[in-house]
Amino acid sequence: MHELPQQLANGLALGALYGLIAIGYTMVYGIVQLINFAHGEIFMIGGFGALTAYIVLPSGTSLLVAIPLMIVGGAIASVAVATAAERFAYRPLRGAPRLAPLITAIGLSIVLQQLVWGFYPDAKKPRSFPEFQGESFKLFDNLYLQRADAFVLVLAPLCMLALGLFVAKSRSGRAMQATAQDRDTAKLMGINTDRIIVMAFAIGAAFAAVAAVAYGLDKGQINFEMGFILGLKAFTAAVLGGIGNIYGAMVGGVVLGLAESLSIAYIEEIPGMQQLGGGAWANVWAFVLLIVVLLVRPQGLLGERVADRA
Amino acid sequence: MRHRSLLILTTVLTTGALTLTACGSRDDNKGGGDSGKTTVVIGVDAPLTGSLSALGQGIKNSVDLAAKTANKNNEVPGVEFKIEALDDQAVPASGQSNATKLVGNQDVIGVVGPLNSGVAQSMQGVFEKADVAQVSPANTNPALSQGDNWAKGELKRPFKTYFRTAATDVVQGKFAAQYLYNDAKKKKVYVVDDKQTYGAGLAAIFSAEFKRLGGKVVGTDHVTVKETDFSSTADKVKSSKADSVYFGGQYPEGGLLSDQIKKTGAKIPTMGGDGIYDPAFISASGVANDGDFATSIGYPVEKLPTAKKFIADYEAAKYKDPYAAYGGYSYDAGWAIIQAVKAVVADNGGKLPDDARAKVVEAMGKVAFDGVTGKVAFDQYGDTTNKQLTVYKVEGKVWKDVKSATFKD
């Protein structure tokens, strides 16, 4: 167990990334009860938007200047695609049975992947992404924090805090809560629910873009397929934390990230569990945890905040 | 009403996307070509989309080049070669349906492909039933040609229609172990694989040989294909004090794993098979991969005189994608089919016989020529008789060949 602090740091960083993406699933679900399965691709497009921003910048721009601009570039791309998806793919299906938008989302996810694959220059192979140069931070003898991990660990709580304040304190945030509770009544009270729904998509997409920049800086590459698995994991995190609950998204992400990294590191050290540890079983343990949590708390760790419809 | 039309629109969009993902160049074959020639179609099955598409496109283009070259030189008088390329997306189920589609086209006499051993497993039976020769430029799993009990020394050829121009993992895995232990002087290796037919097989063969030589395997782990975060595995590698890593798998995961191991501060090389021998292994990460190794079958294409012409022709043909790791093997695989057709036509008084498929399978076993990758011929199992291998090392953002030799058991 000598590397425990290091593995905890790995799990936290991975979890923060899951959490940032999970926000998008949870916000949209909280307001329109739609699982936007194309959200992983929104994250991917945020990554390519950020890469485009980086390429446009004069070479030799320091990362400190470039990163905020990359986040902006990524957010422009992801928000544009997410709001367009809402307007043209989901809104027309709002009155349709639940399954229609779900299948549409899956179709959309394939379309978006294929568009990037086909039309972004050289996207058929992984594209390299600027990486943090320099050594990782040495916190203790047995704990190194890589720069990219530090980045996501600082950024994720800040984003969460900003979002929490926005939802609780601002007019739009309150309108959002009202829409989540009862869309029809909110509409009668003069809230422009269409605008609120677009806003939920946009916020989720912006967070996904932040996550994509963090991901690119860490892995040093992005590719057109990267959203699929991460999207599924983030969706799992959202369910684990309680779908519809924004803090739950982060909590679920962190729990899932820790479950993965700790199971890779330590399950095989339990006597008799040799065969069930390591990377091969990480996803199994993560989902076992999900099932156990849902058996005990079907509404997820923090419970969903979707008001009961009387 | 409006809803319904939009539903239809979305459906159309989705199907459109699905068709897009399954794009492959399809020529309409109308039996006889122009100028009264018989058309022979060489099927190609490879991942033309997805993360391995770089390799797949290289395979497709190289076979296309072989067919065009044969047509230009009038290699087989009276026969016009065409290719039909299908996309298997590296998925076994797609490979199987492609195989069914190819054997359904009566003009298809032989097929080049697939890239992945796992996909080949699902195709072999289809080709044997239809008596269509299949030549893979890249499959390295021994079981495909030598049967499931090859490791116990019981060699039995399961499918008489299966051939390959690539050397098997037995050769490649042992060669890697010998190099890492004897030449690179590494004694403690950490072995990681991706649980796939190719990766897991290669890692097992490597480990056995490394131990036999006297080295130690200090730990093993597995990664999942398409995942990207291997930091927990990387930290296990670091704390195991291994002096090297062997990775059985492909370059998308391999590149990230090597990267993340180096980021933990462990300055040790990662070695892999031909699955990681790709420029993308290096370019797809910011951290330098300097010192990482890969084995690949054959000698460096650039070093063989026979290959120089291939490279020049490939450039002249202005294909969009590079020939990649298996270009030479694909050209040779296509050329082997062309040579078999040539022999069959010559035996039949200059015409393609009615049972051309079965005759070509027979003729394949006797094919022998100097190809792009060296001498091309098949043994009694359908395996290539060419046991030349090369170890490549990453130096300054490119793969440099450091040792080429003929494998000795």
Side-chain angles (χ1 to χ4, degrees), chain B residues 135-216:
Chain B
V135 191
S136 170
N139 293 162
T140 50
N141 187 297
L144 296 169
S145 57
Q146 301 168 10
D148 288 336
N149 296 328
W150 62 268
K152 300 189 193 118
E154 301 168 23
L155 305 188
K156 185 176 162 294
R157 188 177 183 180
F159 299 99
K160 65 176 191 320
T161 46
Y162 181 83
F163 300 86
R164 56 174 134 199
T165 50
T168 65
D169 291 334
V170 181
V171 175
Q172 205 177 163
K174 285 184 174 177
F175 192 73
Q178 290 167 3
Y179 180 86
L180 201 61
Y181 188 83
N182 295 328
D183 300 68
K185 303 273 182 264
K186 301 291 182 193
K187 307 295 177 230
K188 293 195 297 186
V189 69
Y190 198 101
V191 179
V192 182
D193 72 50
D194 66 356
K195 297 182 285 184
Q196 304 293 306
T197 313
Y198 164 80
L202 196 58
I205 294 158
F206 168 89
S207 303
E209 180 73 2
F210 197 78
K211 284 186 212 153
R212 192 185 68 83
L213 292 166
K216 269 179 70 182

Side-chain angles (χ1 to χ4, degrees), chain B residues 171-172 174-180 183-184 270-273 277 291-300 303 388-395 399-405:
Chain B
V171 175
Q172 205 177 163
K174 285 184 174 177
F175 192 73
Q178 290 167 3
Y179 180 86
L180 201 61
D183 300 68
T270 298
M271 185 171 199
Y277 172 59
D292 285 351
F293 299 106
T295 49
S296 191
I297 36 194
Y299 282 8
K303 292 220 162 152
Q388 297 166 328
L389 288 125
T390 303
V391 175
Y392 296 85
K393 186 178 184 179
V394 181
E395 282 175 19
W399 288 108
K400 287 251 170 58
D401 52 297
V402 289
K403 185 186 179 179
S404 291

Side-chain angles (χ1 to χ4, degrees), chain A residues 4-17:
Chain A
L4 182 62
Q6 186 67 60
Q7 294 291 14
L8 287 174
N10 291 342
L12 275 176
L14 182 61
L17 186 75

Side-chain angles (χ1 to χ4, degrees), chain B residues 328-349:
Chain B
Y329 296 93
S330 310
Y331 185 94
D332 284 351
W335 201 251
I337 294 172
I338 291 165
Q339 289 302 314
V341 171
K342 187 179 178 176
V344 168
V345 169
D347 279 351
N348 197 42

Side-chain angles (χ1 to χ4, degrees), chain B residues 105-148:
Chain B
N105 176 352
Q106 284 311 313
D107 293 341
V108 172
I109 301 292
V111 176
V112 177
L115 170 71
N116 314 73
S117 294
V119 178
Q121 277 173 326
S122 72
M123 303 172 90
Q124 287 176 314
V126 181
F127 288 127
E128 175 161 77
K129 262 204 202 76
D131 242 345
V132 174
Q134 171 190 14
V135 191
S136 170
N139 293 162
T140 50
N141 187 297
L144 296 169
S145 57
Q146 301 168 10
D148 288 336

Side-chain angles (χ1 to χ4, degrees), chain B residues 6-61:
Chain B
L6 263 147
L7 246 177
I8 291 168
L9 182 72
T10 348
T11 328
V12 169
L13 265 179
T14 321
T15 4
L18 286 170
T19 346
L20 265 183
T21 49
C23 67
S25 69
R26 266 210 227 123
D27 301 319
D28 281 339
N29 294 302
K30 298 191 180 62
D34 43 12
S35 69
K37 284 189 167 186
T38 318
T39 303
V40 166
V41 177
I42 300 174
V44 178
D45 172 274
L48 304 175
T49 59
S51 54
L52 297 174
S53 58
L55 300 172
Q57 295 285 354
I59 291 173
K60 175 185 130 186
N61 295 341

Side-chain angles (χ1 to χ4, degrees), chain B residues 203-261:
Chain B
I205 294 158
F206 168 89
S207 303
E209 180 73 2
F210 197 78
K211 284 186 212 153
R212 192 185 68 83
L213 292 166
K216 269 179 70 182
V217 175
V218 293
T220 54
D221 203 350
H222 311 274
V223 297
T224 303
V225 173
K226 297 214 171 157
E227 295 244 340
T228 50
D229 193 291
F230 309 132
S231 52
S232 296
T233 296
D235 280 314
K236 275 178 13 185
V237 171
K238 187 191 173 187
S239 64
S240 74
K241 303 275 188 288
D243 59 15
S244 53
V245 177
Y246 188 81
F247 175 69
Q250 309 275 5
Y251 65 81
E253 291 76 30
L256 286 165
L257 179 73
S258 157
D259 226 37
Q260 290 169 28
I261 288 168

